[in-house]
Amino acid sequence: ITICSICLGTRLAPKEKLDIPVLFMPDTMKMYEAVVVIHVMRENGENWPYEDSAELKKDLKSSVTIAENGGIRGILWIYPVHGIPEAPQQQLVPVRCQARQRIERRLEVLLTGAVPGATAMPAARNSTMVNTNKLANIQEEVQVTDGFSTTLEFLYELQYQSDEIKSHLGAFVGIHLIQRERDTESGIITLIFNIVFAPNKPMRNEATLVVQCTTGGVWKFPMLFIATQPEVDDVINIEAVGLNKESIVTFKLTSQTR
């Protein structure tokens, strides 16, 4: 994180705004921290009077600089800055299922970029693919929990564009991290998720799988969940008993909810 320095003697009028440019160019997928400190003094060099210097040193010692005579020489504003690198958006992953059916799918995501413990920067490529086959040579298997889960170095969560989409889709989608592996040469980490999609009606909604390293890096994998029309329950045949006469057929419907 680079913070452009402001020259000593910069004048700031009352209620005037001061813009401080901050440049962030991370070279690895971890959080960086910095602090912006603004030191303001009177233009004429005089101090701000403050009677109780003992109380001043106790309560305000981190936000002011005190002169020898006990007055306030300068005022400090301290702004912590956290730089969190985010990988480029990945290709959309479609998940398709017929309404009132259920599918399970393996989703393999590659965490590109310089991740913690990596020894090399991998070449840029498509980092998301759906793999329904069982993967071999897994180096490590991890335990996971439900929801926003912690698995050694990573957190993951399925995020939705709005609360309305979450209410339509959230109850029908489950995602769990089941395996993790690291390439010892390139340092690329592969996470393997199991996705369950069981829609009860046709829909087409998007969500984003967000993976965050506990050291600060973020990867986002957009997903599209598609539920097609369900199968026909039955065919009802009505035979006419004659012209201008009603024919009636009775059938039962059972509600699955209250």
Side-chain angles (χ1 to χ4, degrees):
I1 299 177
T2 302
I3 302 172
C4 298
S5 301
I6 304 297
C7 295
L8 182 65
T10 300
R11 294 183 178 181
L12 194 63
K15 297 182 183 265
E16 184 180 356
K17 294 182 179 180
L18 177 65
D19 293 329
I20 302 176
V22 178
L23 178 63
F24 182 42
M25 298 179 61
D27 58 1
T28 185
M29 294 294 286
K30 66 178 183 180
M31 185 175 70
Y32 296 81
E33 298 183 21
V35 176
V36 180
V37 180
I38 310 299
H39 190 197
V40 176
M41 296 179 292
R42 281 185 169 183
E43 186 177 9
N44 57 12
E46 297 181 357
N47 299 329
W48 285 281
Y50 195 88
E51 297 179 357
D52 193 346
S53 59
E55 190 71 17
L56 173 65
K57 293 180 180 179
K58 177 181 178 182
D59 295 339
L60 301 177
K61 61 182 180 180
S62 62
S63 58
V64 298
T65 54
I66 303 173
E68 294 181 357
N69 60 3
I72 299 176
R73 183 182 180 186
I75 302 175
L76 298 175
W77 281 269
I78 302 174
Y79 300 92
V81 179
H82 289 177
I84 302 177
E86 182 174 315
Q89 189 93 338
Q90 305 299 322
Q91 184 177 355
L92 189 70
V93 178
V95 180
R96 186 184 300 268
C97 179
Q98 191 176 29
R100 295 189 297 190
Q101 300 295 322
R102 181 181 185 274
I103 65 166
E104 290 192 27
R105 174 160 296 183
R106 293 284 183 94
L107 175 65
E108 175 184 326
V109 299
L110 304 182
L111 305 186
T112 58
V115 296
T119 58
M121 176 72 75
R125 58 171 176 158
N126 180 16
S127 64
T128 307
M129 60 178 291
V130 175
N131 185 359
T132 57
N133 299 324
K134 185 176 182 180
L135 299 179
N137 300 324
I138 300 300
Q139 296 180 4
E140 182 176 359
E141 183 173 344
V142 297
Q143 299 294 325
V144 299
T145 58
D146 294 334
F148 196 84
S149 308
T150 303
T151 58
L152 296 182
E153 299 175 356
F154 299 98
L155 307 171
Y156 69 92
E157 182 184 28
L158 199 61
Q159 296 181 352
Y160 306 92
Q161 295 179 343
S162 65
D163 292 338
E164 182 180 1
I165 294 178
K166 182 177 181 179
S167 64
H168 292 165
L169 183 62
F172 310 124
V173 177
I175 183 167
H176 301 278
L177 178 61
I178 56 176
Q179 290 175 329
R180 189 196 70 169
E181 62 177 348
R182 181 196 293 269
D183 188 293
T184 56
E185 294 183 359
S186 66
I188 298 177
I189 293 178
T190 302
L191 301 182
I192 304 172
F193 294 89
N194 184 59
I195 299 176
V196 177
F197 185 33
N200 66 349
K201 60 183 178 181
M203 65 177 66
R204 184 185 180 92
N205 289 312
E206 294 185 7
T208 302
L209 173 60
V210 179
V211 179
Q212 180 177 0
C213 182
T214 54
T215 59
V218 176
W219 293 262
K220 294 184 178 180
F221 305 94
M223 304 182 68
L224 175 61
F225 292 91
I226 303 172
T228 57
Q229 292 290 338
E231 295 181 357
V232 175
D233 293 293
D234 201 357
V235 177
I236 301 173
N237 296 315
I238 304 177
E239 295 183 1
V241 297
L243 294 175
N244 297 322
K245 294 182 179 181
E246 292 183 352
S247 296
I248 299 175
V249 171
T250 301
F251 59 95
K252 295 181 179 181
L253 295 178
T254 301
S255 176
Q256 297 182 357
T257 65
R258 299 182 65 180

